[in-house]
Short mmCIF file of all heavy atoms in Angstrom, two decimals:
data_model
loop_
_atom_site.label_atom_id
_atom_site.label_comp_id
_atom_site.label_asym_id
_atom_site.label_seq_id
_atom_site.Cartn_x
_atom_site.Cartn_y
_atom_site.Cartn_z
N GLY A 44 23.52 17.75 9.36
CA GLY A 44 24.44 17.39 10.45
C GLY A 44 23.72 17.43 11.77
O GLY A 44 22.54 17.83 11.87
N THR A 45 24.45 17.03 12.85
CA THR A 45 23.89 17.03 14.22
C THR A 45 23.35 18.41 14.57
O THR A 45 24.02 19.43 14.39
CB THR A 45 25.02 16.64 15.22
OG1 THR A 45 25.44 15.35 14.87
CG2 THR A 45 24.47 16.67 16.64
N ARG A 80 19.54 14.05 15.09
CA ARG A 80 20.61 13.28 14.42
C ARG A 80 19.96 12.11 13.71
O ARG A 80 18.78 11.80 13.94
CB ARG A 80 21.57 12.69 15.49
CG ARG A 80 22.54 13.64 16.12
CD ARG A 80 23.33 12.92 17.20
NE ARG A 80 24.00 11.70 16.75
CZ ARG A 80 25.17 11.64 16.16
NH1 ARG A 80 25.86 12.74 15.94
NH2 ARG A 80 25.69 10.49 15.79
N PHE A 82 21.28 8.94 13.88
CA PHE A 82 21.44 7.76 14.71
C PHE A 82 22.12 8.14 16.00
O PHE A 82 22.72 9.25 16.13
CB PHE A 82 22.26 6.68 13.94
CG PHE A 82 23.62 7.15 13.48
CD1 PHE A 82 24.73 7.05 14.30
CD2 PHE A 82 23.77 7.74 12.22
CE1 PHE A 82 25.99 7.49 13.84
CE2 PHE A 82 25.02 8.18 11.78
CZ PHE A 82 26.12 8.04 12.61
N ARG A 84 24.75 8.19 19.15
CA ARG A 84 26.19 7.97 19.39
C ARG A 84 26.40 7.90 20.89
O ARG A 84 25.66 8.46 21.68
CB ARG A 84 27.05 9.06 18.74
CG ARG A 84 26.83 10.43 19.28
CD ARG A 84 27.75 11.44 18.63
NE ARG A 84 27.24 12.84 18.89
CZ ARG A 84 27.77 13.90 18.39
NH1 ARG A 84 28.82 13.85 17.61
NH2 ARG A 84 27.29 15.10 18.66
N ALA A 86 29.53 8.62 22.22
CA ALA A 86 30.42 9.76 22.45
C ALA A 86 30.76 10.29 21.04
O ALA A 86 30.37 9.69 20.07
CB ALA A 86 31.70 9.30 23.18
N GLU A 87 31.50 11.39 21.00
CA GLU A 87 31.84 11.92 19.67
C GLU A 87 32.64 10.91 18.88
O GLU A 87 33.68 10.42 19.35
CB GLU A 87 32.63 13.24 19.80
CG GLU A 87 32.68 13.94 18.48
CD GLU A 87 33.12 15.39 18.64
OE1 GLU A 87 32.25 16.22 18.96
OE2 GLU A 87 34.32 15.65 18.49
N GLY A 88 32.13 10.51 17.75
CA GLY A 88 32.82 9.53 16.91
C GLY A 88 32.72 8.10 17.33
O GLY A 88 33.26 7.18 16.72
N PHE A 90 29.90 5.27 17.79
CA PHE A 90 28.51 5.11 17.40
C PHE A 90 27.83 3.90 18.08
O PHE A 90 28.47 2.91 18.35
CB PHE A 90 28.40 4.99 15.88
CG PHE A 90 28.98 6.17 15.17
CD1 PHE A 90 29.62 6.06 13.95
CD2 PHE A 90 28.90 7.44 15.71
CE1 PHE A 90 30.16 7.15 13.29
CE2 PHE A 90 29.43 8.57 15.08
CZ PHE A 90 30.07 8.40 13.85
N SER A 126 28.48 15.74 7.67
CA SER A 126 28.79 15.30 9.02
C SER A 126 27.96 14.08 9.38
O SER A 126 28.04 13.05 8.77
CB SER A 126 28.64 16.47 9.97
OG SER A 126 29.14 16.21 11.23
N ASN A 127 27.07 14.21 10.39
CA ASN A 127 26.27 13.04 10.80
C ASN A 127 25.42 12.58 9.60
O ASN A 127 25.24 11.36 9.42
CB ASN A 127 25.35 13.44 11.98
CG ASN A 127 24.46 12.30 12.40
OD1 ASN A 127 23.27 12.35 12.28
ND2 ASN A 127 25.07 11.26 12.92
N GLY A 128 24.98 13.47 8.74
CA GLY A 128 24.20 13.09 7.57
C GLY A 128 25.06 12.35 6.55
O GLY A 128 24.62 11.39 5.88
N ASN A 130 27.54 10.54 7.40
CA ASN A 130 27.81 9.22 8.00
C ASN A 130 26.67 8.25 7.77
O ASN A 130 26.90 7.07 7.48
CB ASN A 130 28.11 9.38 9.48
CG ASN A 130 29.39 10.13 9.70
OD1 ASN A 130 30.24 10.26 8.80
ND2 ASN A 130 29.58 10.69 10.90
N ARG A 150 32.67 15.70 4.98
CA ARG A 150 33.20 15.39 6.35
C ARG A 150 32.69 14.02 6.87
O ARG A 150 32.30 13.90 8.05
CB ARG A 150 32.81 16.49 7.36
CG ARG A 150 33.15 17.91 6.95
CD ARG A 150 34.68 18.09 6.77
NE ARG A 150 34.97 19.46 6.40
CZ ARG A 150 34.97 19.91 5.15
NH1 ARG A 150 34.74 19.09 4.12
NH2 ARG A 150 35.25 21.19 4.90
N MET A 152 32.96 10.01 8.03
CA MET A 152 33.88 9.07 8.65
C MET A 152 33.32 7.66 8.47
O MET A 152 32.23 7.48 7.92
CB MET A 152 34.10 9.43 10.10
CG MET A 152 32.85 9.43 10.93
SD MET A 152 33.06 10.40 12.46
CE MET A 152 34.12 9.34 13.41
N ILE A 178 37.21 16.55 14.16
CA ILE A 178 36.29 15.43 14.42
C ILE A 178 36.61 14.22 13.55
O ILE A 178 36.56 13.09 14.00
CB ILE A 178 34.84 15.90 14.19
CG1 ILE A 178 34.49 17.03 15.18
CG2 ILE A 178 33.83 14.74 14.36
CD1 ILE A 178 33.14 17.67 14.99
N HIS A 207 36.01 21.20 10.23
CA HIS A 207 34.77 20.45 10.02
C HIS A 207 33.76 21.27 9.24
O HIS A 207 32.79 20.75 8.67
CB HIS A 207 34.18 20.05 11.39
CG HIS A 207 33.26 18.83 11.30
ND1 HIS A 207 33.67 17.61 10.88
CD2 HIS A 207 31.96 18.73 11.56
CE1 HIS A 207 32.66 16.76 10.91
NE2 HIS A 207 31.56 17.43 11.30
C1 MLT B 301 28.66 11.83 14.06
O1 MLT B 301 28.31 11.70 15.24
O2 MLT B 301 28.00 11.37 13.12
C2 MLT B 301 29.96 12.51 13.84
O3 MLT B 301 30.72 12.57 15.00
C3 MLT B 301 29.75 13.88 13.23
C4 MLT B 301 28.97 14.75 14.13
O4 MLT B 301 27.77 14.67 14.11
O5 MLT B 301 29.58 15.52 14.87
#
Side-chain angles (χ1 to χ4, degrees):
T45 299
R80 285 177 53 84
F82 56 88
R84 64 178 164 183
E87 193 164 278
F90 302 146
S126 190
N127 180 246
N130 294 342
R150 308 298 181 272
M152 59 201 287
I178 297 173
H207 203 63

